[in-house]
Amino acid sequence: MHVTVKAFAHLRDRFGIDETGVELDPQACVQDAWRAATGEDAMPKHVFAAVNLEYAQPGDRLHEGDEVAFFPPVTGG
Amino acid sequence: MAVELRASPFDPWRELAAAPGGEAPAGGFGATCAFVGTMRDFNEGAAVERMFLEHYPGMTERQLAAIVDETRSAHGLLDARVIHRVGSIEPGEAIVLVAVWSAHRREAFDGCRALMEALKHRAPFWKRESGAGGDRWVERNTPG
């Protein structure tokens, strides 16, 4: 299935991903999107994920057309 | 609007003066509490010349709206409002305004603090500071 991966802040700088499409197995989860987009095996603890604009966990299942985002701890305010 | 992102400088005090009761019913609120975060020219031992505030269009607004709703319910607020800058910011400019209204002071003080803390921990914003040493992504919040 096809999902869109976005990365923000220093993760975007580090992996050179602004927005990219990845192909995953139908049973894929957030962590699989990380692997496909970055080439790294495990999501580091300090990397957060969102699916379709809501916070998500590495083990959350993905669906066709999902937008997955990866980003560092937030620092607004 | 309960949540606004602004790409250019804003005056938080003019915003409050323009809507001193928010959307709270006139005569219904006894307490107003406001917090303003301002960009400093110094952080973690280094001078900062300017800052870029990145956000995630769509998710940032959604999370802020959820934070406002949750805080209003949890603290019995009559109204709550957030204005937050995005993009390039200069020292001395306001970064964020959080304002809440309630019948009495306890809910206002507690709700304003809770909203600000939730924003700091959940709202998708990332600060990149620029100074003599180049650009640097801020990695963590200062303790609340």
Side-chain angles (χ1 to χ4, degrees):
Chain A
M1 62 178 166
H2 182 88
V3 304
T4 302
V5 173
K6 292 184 172 179
F8 292 87
H10 74 75
L11 292 182
R12 184 191 51 249
D13 293 350
R14 181 170 157 211
F15 293 107
I17 303 166
D18 189 12
E19 180 173 331
T20 189
V22 296
E23 293 300 319
L24 302 172
D25 292 337
Q27 291 80 31
C29 61
V30 167
Q31 178 134 339
D32 296 315
W34 171 263
R35 261 187 220 114
T38 66
E40 289 195 350
D41 194 39
M43 258 177 70
K45 266 171 58 172
H46 55 269
V47 170
F48 294 88
V51 175
N52 301 333
L53 313 182
E54 295 288 348
Y55 277 98
Q57 297 300 315
D60 288 355
R61 285 280 302 273
L62 295 174
H63 303 90
E64 171 71 34
D66 278 351
E67 176 171 300
V68 188
F70 297 106
F71 46 83
V74 300
T75 54
Chain B
M1 274 190 291
V3 170
E4 282 184 66
L5 301 182
R6 298 274 184 93
S8 53
F10 75 99
D11 183 335
W13 309 109
R14 271 189 208 266
E15 297 287 340
L16 286 171
E23 300 283 311
F29 68 98
T32 306
C33 206
F35 174 85
V36 173
T38 303
M39 191 194 152
R40 295 176 302 128
D41 61 7
F42 204 79
N43 190 35
E44 293 192 344
V48 184
E49 293 166 12
R50 73 192 150 284
M51 180 169 77
F52 186 83
L53 200 44
E54 182 169 331
H55 74 294
Y56 182 175
M59 186 177 176
T60 301
E61 298 91 327
R62 189 170 171 134
Q63 294 299 315
L64 283 174
I67 288 166
V68 167
D69 282 347
E70 289 163 18
T71 309
R72 281 186 67 158
S73 296
H75 294 273
L77 303 176
L78 295 171
D79 192 24
R81 191 176 176 204
V82 176
I83 301 177
H84 202 297
R85 284 292 314 280
V86 293
S88 295
I89 304 178
E90 306 276 314
E93 289 180 358
I95 298 170
V96 62
L97 165 67
V98 168
V100 306
W101 293 266
S102 62
H104 301 291
R105 70 188 183 282
R106 176 191 301 209
E107 294 81 5
F109 278 124
D110 291 350
C112 190
R113 192 189 208 351
L115 206 167
M116 192 57 205
E117 291 305 309
L119 185 159
K120 294 288 287 184
H121 289 96
R122 277 171 57 188
F125 295 102
W126 302 274
K127 290 173 179 166
R128 190 182 70 221
E129 294 175 338
S130 297
D135 292 352
R136 180 184 82 93
W137 288 103
V138 175
E139 290 183 1
R140 68 184 70 80
N141 293 318
T142 51

